[in-house]
Amino acid sequence: MAKILIADDDPTILSLLNKILLSKRHDVQLAEHGGVAEKLLKSEQFDLLISDIKMEPVDGMQLLKNTRKLRPHVGVIMLTAYATVSTAVEAMKEGAFDYIPKPFKIDELLETVKRALDYQKSIAEQISGSSHIEAKKYFGNIVAESDGMVNVCEMIKRVAPTKTTIMITGDSGTGKELVAEALHSFSARSEGPFIPVNCAALPETLIESELFGHVKGAFTGANTNKEGLFEASQGGTLFLDEINSIPHPLQSKLLRAIQNKKIRKVGGTDEFAVDVRIVAASNQNLEMLVKEGTFREDLFYRLSVITIDIPPLKQRPEDILPLAQHFISQEMEGSEFPVMDNAVLAILQNYVWPGNVRELQNVIQHCMTFMRDGKISKETLPSKLIVSYEENPGAQNAALTGEFGKGKSLKAFLRAKEKEYLKNVINTMGGDKVKAAQELDISLATLYRKLPEEKGS
Ligand SMILES: Nc1ncnc2c1ncn2[C@@H]1O[C@H](COP(=O)(O)OP(=O)(O)OP(=O)(O)O)[C@@H](O)[C@H]1O
Ligand SMILES: [Mg+2]
């Protein structure tokens, strides 16, 4: 069942269409001209609009244009007398799905309605991801479609409930903190605190007292006793991010704290027990640092009892669109899910993402700010993505994209061949696309869909 709006100034047509569509159990609303239809479109959600072209005072073309702006997801079918077929073709250039000449056969009408609804549905699925690109989420918020990321999530599930220290590695922006949070929330300590600390952001002189606390008078300025981050994480998880920047002298103290589960405050004499799970992350190769002598080998082994390595985004292109969709949903403020051009999908898929998931998140935020009429088009994207695509289209992920890229998949090959054939037929018909569509035994809408570049010509 779909919700269909019909606009026509001819009451007999209105009631006929009403009857036909009701018999197919659609939910139908009637409007006697474009203005009435527009009001209804503003206040209600429809799947499809069937509109006459000639109407007073607001005609079908105007209604079509306004609908594209107001509700870009709504499919539009134009009704037209034979005399106005050329206008109907115009309408398709404006984004109508197809047209039905009057008088029409009921079968034909129902067939076109069905095709329009199927098409709308597939578009909606593509962009709102209700089917094939639906973001598979783990722990409520980790999008994982690629094998690489699914493995990471399986690993989290397995090791989160254990007591071991866990090391997370991955390039900047790959989701290390998100994984650390998941490790915490999937552990028996989930009721306790999760405290992230960026070791690189703490000045060397303060880092010890930040981590372990200090007693009053331990150094100039230590006017009171201070609780450290270890103590604050009691019963929970302490996430030591960028652990590679812990100064060498402090590394042994950290090792002792982890091994003995006891700490001593700066300036203090007593040791006291802390029950804290340590999760650490590094965006530098710690093994290399061990070799260079800047990171203690014993601490390295202690920390990396279990290591979770998050692959860079360019190695898991299957995650790109589901992540984009996930970030769009986060940014939406009660508005409709935006329509995303295929060109945009191709560009997102093609980019190498040096800044990984965080960069993708920023790009989506940019798009949501600059998009127009609920549509994310190529122009909405930051220019660096377009430049990179134009310089090297189909480069990065071609082999894996199939659908969108210009890779070597069979699908891509068949598509290219199909295009070639369609263009040949159009040429044989002297550029007349209506005739070409007839010759090909497909609708004009289908022809335009397969050759979107012909639409504007
Ligand atoms: N698989 C994912 N699913 C959903 N959101 C993700 C995923 N991976 C990363 N993010 C989001 O991307 C952003 C960056 O992730 P995060 O801060 O965890 O990365 P990081 O590896 O810690 O980065 P940095 O090295 O810069 O500290 C966050 O907003 C995070 O929620
Ligand atoms: Mg981080």
Side-chain angles (χ1 to χ4, degrees):
M1 190 194 85
K3 204 161 164 202
I4 303 178
L5 174 62
I6 308 169
D8 200 313
D9 55 359
D10 182 344
T12 36
I13 297 267
L14 276 186
S15 80
L16 176 65
L17 283 173
N18 190 26
K19 232 190 252 160
I20 299 172
L21 294 171
L22 282 177
S23 77
K24 291 284 164 194
R25 303 229 192 91
H26 291 304
D27 177 358
V28 186
Q29 297 249 26
L30 307 174
E32 58 271 25
H33 63 76
V36 179
E38 218 178 293
K39 267 197 199 126
L40 283 166
L41 278 164
K42 274 184 191 151
S43 61
E44 290 176 47
Q45 299 271 0
F46 290 93
D47 301 301
L48 187 65
L49 163 70
I50 302 177
S51 171
D52 190 19
I53 291 187
K54 280 196 181 145
M55 291 182 289
E56 297 278 340
V58 179
D59 74 3
M61 286 302 279
Q62 194 54 49
L63 175 61
L64 168 65
K65 284 181 194 157
N66 295 346
T67 308
R68 303 308 314 152
K69 277 193 209 137
L70 216 63
R71 301 275 185 201
H73 298 307
V74 176
V76 183
I77 295 173
M78 306 305 282
L79 286 173
T80 169
Y82 271 122
T84 52
V85 165
S86 59
T87 325
V89 174
E90 275 305 302
M92 292 181 58
K93 285 189 188 166
E94 287 292 335
F97 173 79
D98 209 344
Y99 67 89
I100 301 174
K102 285 196 269 191
F104 48 81
K105 293 198 182 107
I106 293 179
D107 287 359
E108 274 169 12
L109 170 101
L110 287 173
E111 208 270 322
T112 308
V113 166
K114 183 173 179 307
R115 268 193 302 111
L117 290 173
D118 286 349
Y119 180 60
Q120 289 311 117
K121 205 172 135 210
S122 74
I123 294 268
E125 280 174 354
Q126 238 184 58
I127 49 185
S128 72
S130 51
S131 72
H132 66 291
I133 67 160
E134 175 164 22
K136 279 192 210 117
K137 286 188 198 160
Y138 286 72
F139 317 110
N141 59 355
I142 303 188
V143 173
E145 188 66 43
S146 64
D147 289 349
M149 208 54 208
V150 169
N151 284 342
V152 165
C153 293
E154 293 297 335
M155 187 82 167
I156 296 173
K157 254 189 221 163
R158 277 218 307 276
V159 302
T162 67
K163 287 182 178 153
T164 23
T165 302
I166 294 168
M167 181 76 200
I168 307 170
T169 56
D171 293 346
S172 173
T174 45
K176 295 185 292 295
E177 182 150 353
L178 194 64
V179 166
E181 275 167 16
L183 283 167
H184 172 73
S185 51
F186 213 65
S187 73
R189 311 171 157 264
S190 58
E191 296 293 312
F194 171 79
I195 299 195
V197 45
N198 185 344
C199 303
L202 295 174
E204 247 189 85
T205 47
L206 280 186
I207 193 158
E208 185 176 357
S209 81
E210 284 296 322
L211 289 179
F212 303 112
H214 61 244
V215 295
K216 187 176 170 184
F219 47 84
T220 332
N223 300 326
T224 51
N225 284 338
K226 184 178 147 62
E227 182 186 65
L229 293 166
F230 263 86
E231 213 179 334
S233 311
Q234 277 282 16
T237 307
L238 178 60
F239 174 46
L240 298 172
D241 201 357
E242 305 205 28
I243 188 123
N244 44 291
S245 15
I246 295 253
H248 206 268
L250 198 61
Q251 289 175 15
S252 51
K253 192 161 181 186
L254 183 60
L255 177 66
R256 259 204 321 280
I258 296 173
Q259 251 163 1
N260 307 338
K261 299 185 172 42
K262 281 184 182 159
I263 58 163
R264 181 184 294 136
K265 291 189 175 193
V266 176
T269 45
D270 310 332
E271 275 199 327
F272 62 97
V274 280
D275 168 31
V276 173
R277 202 242 191 113
I278 301 291
V279 174
S282 169
N283 50 15
Q284 278 187 36
N285 186 331
L286 280 185
E287 247 169 323
M288 290 281 290
L289 299 183
V290 170
K291 277 192 193 124
E292 283 170 14
T294 45
F295 203 85
R296 285 185 69 117
E297 192 173 17
D298 46 7
L299 178 60
F300 168 71
Y301 284 118
R302 182 77 219 183
L303 287 170
S304 31
V305 178
I306 289 170
T307 301
I308 300 181
D309 184 39
I310 312 178
L313 189 53
K314 69 175 176 215
Q315 278 175 21
R316 44 184 172 105
E318 303 88 343
D319 289 339
I320 296 174
L321 297 184
L323 276 168
Q325 176 208 325
H326 168 71
F327 292 133
I328 289 175
S329 315
Q330 281 186 344
E331 293 291 312
M332 280 177 7
E333 285 156 2
S335 49
E336 269 192 71
F337 206 94
V339 178
M340 216 192 258
D341 277 359
N342 273 350
V344 173
L345 299 177
I347 293 170
L348 293 180
Q349 196 83 343
N350 184 66
Y351 189 60
V352 287
W353 301 107
N356 292 296
V357 183
R358 188 192 309 287
E359 188 179 15
L360 175 59
Q361 186 176 26
N362 292 343
V363 164
I364 294 298
Q365 279 166 354
H366 174 103
C367 289
M368 296 298 277
T369 311
F370 292 104
M371 72 174 176
R372 304 180 84 170
D373 307 329
K375 192 171 166 189
I376 299 180
S377 58
K378 195 173 157 190
E379 294 67 39
T380 328
L381 289 167
S383 54
K384 64 176 177 185
L385 269 79
I386 299 173
V387 171
S388 132
Y389 185 71
E390 280 166 359
E391 281 174 358
N392 207 356
Q396 183 52 35
N397 307 310
L400 294 138
T401 52
E403 270 274 281
F404 304 108
K406 295 180 179 167
K408 292 192 180 81
S409 71
L410 179 62
K411 219 172 194 171
F413 172 78
L414 292 175
R415 216 171 244 214
K417 282 288 158 204
E418 182 183 70
K419 272 194 164 181
E420 212 176 291
Y421 179 64
L422 296 177
K423 283 186 176 166
N424 269 339
V425 176
I426 296 175
N427 282 340
T428 328
M429 295 294 142
D432 187 335
K433 284 157 222 150
V434 177
K435 268 198 198 148
Q438 275 166 3
E439 186 67 24
L440 290 158
D441 202 21
I442 56 175
S443 73
L444 192 55
T446 308
L447 183 66
Y448 281 144
R449 204 155 55 242
K450 288 178 184 292
L451 289 178
E453 65 271 30
E454 292 288 326
K455 216 167 166 180
S457 65

